[in-house]
Amino acid sequence: MHPTGELRGESVRVGGDARQRFHDSRGYGRPLDGNAIALSRVETAHLLFRGDLAGVTLGDGAGAAGPVGFRRFVADSTAAVDGFFTRYLVYADLRDRGFYLSPAREPWPGGRADVPDAVDFVAYERGSTPRAGAVEHPVRVVGERESIPVDGLSGQTLAVVDEESDITYFAAETADVTGATRYDPPSTLTGEVVGDRVVLWDAPDALYERGFYGQPLTGRAAAVEGVLQLSLLEAASLAADGVLQLTDAPGGVNGVDGVDAADDVSGADDVEAAATDASRAADPAAAVATILDRGRAVEGDRFDRRLAVYRALRARQTVPKTGFKFGADFRTYRDVDTVDDLPHSAHLVRVVQPGHRFTPRELSLDVRLAGGVRKELVFAVVDEAGVRQRGGSTVDDAIRWLSVGRLTP
């Protein structure tokens, strides 16, 4: 004969041999005095659905004198608890997959686990009970129409329930974005700002072939050689490293060599002014400021965040290149020896701010695309300290690296 339970507050008390029947052998609930246990609402619904509980007395003015079954209990719980049914669906699915689970809060088993407050359940290692098992999945349940803050997401297993009650699981964890690319650019490079990029008219071959900087300007039957186009991010990073200076026009830095001292009496002043401009252009800090100004003009504050991430990726010995074709900020290469033997890129990196909120649809699309091209999806979360870099410096500690991927529990 199956026992009945009694709703008391937000848990259901079951007496008799409930501890041996449900908790000790199958990991449901938490022990009370004697052999009684307390069940959470989702645990109760699951036992009612399986027929292991005969019913639950609602009490508390709920309008049901005798024990109610699964349907009535679900209706009451849905009215009392936001998101109850989606949590029940995830709980039941993970139980069917062989996991024991507990609500991730005191005084339930697992309530002392080091998991964020937003976690709904902790799922123990498969086959382990709450009394002895280590937490394998801190599960956060999200409906398709909710949003997910990036802050605090690392270490969670997301269970997204769509409108047809299908469940998709994602693992969110700290990403390891490191590489083994060792290349030091030449100490002196000279470029010219052309629109929204910087052109090196006589670039050393190794800058592209070994460092994978820029894109050569090529074409059929080209008469001009050695031209390398840098993105503003690449140029700003090289200038911040002190190896890139700028010229403004053909014929000399800011036109110095093109000034004719015999033009008129003001010619001397022009030469002096041009010489001053030339000195400033040769100053790497001035080059950084010029490129940052241009980047902010075409992209706004987002340019600073992307530059911070670009420089951090280079410092981690990876090679970041544009991720535009994949809908990301960057794609990264771990170990580039030469572009003639280029490895498969490892990551797709999206740059976001603290406080950013994903929609589950957006997250699913990003993860699906990254998986389809065999790359790891990484979000670089850049806080305010990471973008205060007028001089081009950056602090890697100001960036949090979050990896999100599909998971099959």
Side-chain angles (χ1 to χ4, degrees), residues 209-222:
E209 294 175 357
R210 300 293 302 277
F212 205 12
Y213 283 94
Q215 180 72 23
L217 185 63
T218 60
R220 185 175 298 175

Side-chain angles (χ1 to χ4, degrees), residues 75-165:
D76 182 83
S77 296
T78 300
V81 181
D82 290 341
F84 167 79
F85 199 66
T86 53
R87 287 202 288 275
Y88 166 73
L89 292 172
V90 172
Y91 181 91
D93 180 70
L94 289 171
R95 273 282 180 174
D96 289 347
R97 292 171 184 260
F99 290 97
Y100 291 158
L101 301 94
S102 295
R105 65 179 189 274
E106 296 287 3
W108 259 261
R112 293 184 178 86
D114 185 18
V115 297
D117 291 340
V119 168
D120 294 288
F121 310 116
V122 289
Y124 303 96
E125 293 175 340
R126 188 176 271 106
S128 298
T129 66
R131 288 188 300 173
V135 174
E136 183 169 351
H137 298 294
V139 183
R140 180 175 184 171
V141 180
V142 182
E144 178 186 348
R145 298 176 181 87
E146 299 178 52
S147 64
I148 309 164
V150 68
D151 299 318
L153 194 56
S154 180
Q156 297 181 23
T157 296
L158 290 177
V160 180
V161 184
D162 68 22
E163 64 181 357
E164 294 183 350
S165 298

Side-chain angles (χ1 to χ4, degrees), residues 13-16 19 30-38:
R13 187 184 189 281
V14 183
R19 177 165 183 167
R30 59 183 173 86
L32 300 174
D33 294 337
N35 288 323
I37 63 170

